[in-house]
Amino acid sequence: MRHKRFRRLWVGQAFSSLGNGITPVALTLLLLGSGRPATHLGWVLGAQSAGLILFVLVGGLLGDRVDRVSLMAVSDVVRLASTLLLAIVGLHVGLVPLMAIAFVLGVGGAMFEPAERAMLPSLVPNNELQAANGLTGVTNRVALILGPPLGAFLVAGFGPGAAFGIDAVTFLISVISLLTLRERGQRPAVAPPGRSLPAEAWEGVRTLRKHPWAAAVIIQGAVQVLLVHAPLTVLAPLVLRTRGELSSYGWLLSLQAVGAVLGALLAGRWHPSEPGTVALLAMLGGLPVLIGLVAGFPVPVLSALMILYGAGGSVFAVLWASALQRHIPNVVLARVVSLDYVGQLGLEPVGLAITAPLAAIAGIAATIWASISALLITTAAPFAVTGVRELGRGPVDDGPSRDLDERRL
């Protein structure tokens, strides 16, 4: 927090993250509370996810070609306008307009996220990246704990329009904070002469080929999302329903979020000698939860295990983001970050969609054991790749990030 430019970004994103927790609840209550069929909710939320997944690679490409602050500010202005539109017409339009607005919200997020991750090395020195990512992780998770109940309160007391209006205000605060930032140093604003857009986009893949440790972890993460973490989101409530304890699912999710806050706090201060080993093993936090579900552990025990699960996810996220920011050249970092997003976001809906049918065919217990096996295999496999244990090789500067002089104002 002692770096003024990072502090400004953090303040804006703290408010924006709070708004990110408000709008999904407000959108859900708007659709279901107005008597629309539940399928409309799935279509609208699916449209937002589609916008994010389909355009995140474009966001990564733009994040490496244009001024990142400007790109983030424009994406926030677009999302501000979209939430204001929801506030004004949300109760009065049909399914297709709501899907279109949600899609634009997703596209705005796709433009913003890679640029934000790639910009952080220009705001803090390399030796403080982990602390900055830890603070950002804590803030995001606290906001996502507070945002949904705040959204429900606003809808109940003042209507959905008020909730969307508050979210629009948070985007405005983010835009103002971004306008106070300027990236130091120089970097190309456009691709080198003769480079086409597809060639520039492919540069992210080429970079991963030069850093096999990063490629291995991205592939591992995508497979784990497909076979472990997305299925767990479905399997937990299925198990609780068969036990007559479905009402405790919300409590378990809240404790997972608390664990995520604690994990981000820990990861921001802990500097292990083998961050890759710690990061990958931290994702084994889902193992005792899966075992507890299949073994019938009582809810109080599952509650403690969900805290561990949440903490492990945050430890991985902080160490992983910091490693990419330290070791991937900044001029291509947004594209690499966008590839990471695609692996996770693209396969998560597939994992969510296939889990219930598989459980119906093979049984819930067999599906859980399959996820356990997948978790163990995908955790062990990346260690065969050089550099995974350290999440990159080579010394890390204690001064400003090494690519500052490649970026432009």
Side-chain angles (χ1 to χ4, degrees):
M1 291 295 288
R2 65 190 180 89
H3 300 283
K4 181 172 64 175
R5 295 166 67 241
F6 171 72
R7 184 167 63 246
R8 291 172 180 172
L9 176 68
W10 175 81
V11 169
Q13 293 317 299
F15 281 99
S16 185
S17 295
L18 184 64
N20 290 342
I22 291 174
T23 285
V25 172
L27 200 53
T28 299
L29 295 178
L30 180 150
L31 289 166
L32 299 183
S34 60
R36 306 182 194 222
T39 53
H40 283 199
L41 176 61
W43 281 105
V44 171
L45 296 180
Q48 184 173 1
S49 296
L52 184 61
I53 294 169
L54 293 175
F55 281 86
V56 71
L57 288 177
V58 178
L61 176 59
L62 290 176
D64 286 330
R65 289 174 63 94
V66 303
D67 178 65
R68 288 168 180 157
V69 173
S70 299
L71 178 62
M72 293 162 64
V74 169
S75 71
D76 270 349
V77 169
V78 170
R79 291 187 288 178
L80 186 158
S82 299
T83 52
L84 280 180
L85 195 58
L86 281 174
I88 296 169
V89 305
L91 287 171
H92 311 292
V93 297
L95 174 62
V96 174
L98 287 176
M99 288 179 61
I101 296 172
F103 184 83
V104 172
L105 282 170
V107 173
M111 298 297 107
F112 188 96
E113 298 297 337
E116 182 194 21
R117 289 262 298 271
M119 190 179 71
L120 190 59
S122 70
L123 303 180
V124 298
N126 260 329
N127 65 325
E128 296 184 35
L129 279 173
Q130 199 168 309
N133 282 309
L135 177 60
T136 300
V138 169
T139 306
N140 290 342
R141 284 156 179 80
V142 170
L144 291 177
I145 292 173
L146 300 178
L150 177 58
F153 168 78
L154 289 170
V155 172
F158 307 98
F164 294 128
I166 293 297
D167 190 16
V169 171
T170 67
F171 281 125
L172 177 61
I173 294 172
S174 175
V175 170
I176 293 172
S177 74
L178 288 169
L179 293 179
T180 67
L181 300 178
R182 292 180 67 83
E183 291 193 79
R184 298 172 181 169
Q186 298 287 325
R187 73 177 178 90
V190 296
R195 295 296 296 275
S196 64
L197 282 175
E200 283 294 291
W202 188 250
E203 190 64 29
V205 177
R206 291 181 59 192
T207 300
L208 288 177
R209 292 174 63 184
K210 297 175 184 177
H211 298 80
W213 60 271
V217 175
I218 287 176
I219 294 170
Q220 179 253 12
V223 175
Q224 275 199 0
V225 166
L226 173 67
L227 300 179
V228 182
H229 304 299
L232 181 53
T233 303
V234 177
L235 291 168
L238 287 179
V239 170
L240 292 171
R241 185 179 67 178
T242 63
R243 292 164 45 170
E245 297 174 320
L246 184 58
S247 60
S248 63
Y249 183 56
W251 168 250
L252 293 179
L253 290 180
S254 297
L255 290 176
Q256 181 183 358
V258 170
V261 172
L262 297 176
L265 282 170
L266 172 63
R269 297 173 176 269
W270 185 20
H271 298 273
S273 58
E274 291 189 356
T277 300
V278 172
L280 293 183
L281 293 182
M283 294 307 294
L284 287 175
L287 179 61
V289 176
L290 289 165
I291 292 174
L293 290 173
V294 76
F297 289 0
V299 168
V301 177
L302 290 175
S303 299
L305 297 179
M306 287 296 280
I307 294 175
L308 179 65
Y309 181 37
S314 284
V315 168
F316 172 85
V318 171
L319 295 177
W320 171 239
S322 302
L324 289 181
Q325 290 159 350
R326 286 191 181 109
H327 298 293
I328 300 298
N330 195 268
V331 292
V332 74
L333 180 55
R335 277 166 283 183
V336 171
V337 168
S338 69
L339 289 170
D340 187 25
Y341 272 104
V342 165
Q344 297 184 38
L345 298 175
L347 293 179
E348 183 179 31
V350 179
L352 293 171
I354 65 174
T355 299
L358 286 176
I361 296 171
I364 294 176
T367 306
I368 292 175
W369 281 114
S371 287
I372 289 173
S373 300
L375 177 58
L376 294 173
I377 293 170
T378 56
T379 298
F383 286 107
V385 179
T386 301
V388 164
R389 293 180 181 273
E390 302 85 0
L391 286 183
R393 291 196 178 276
V396 176
D397 247 359
D398 285 336
S401 295
R402 55 197 167 98
D403 292 302
L404 279 177
D405 54 354
E406 295 182 55
R407 288 188 289 270
R408 63 179 176 84
L409 292 176

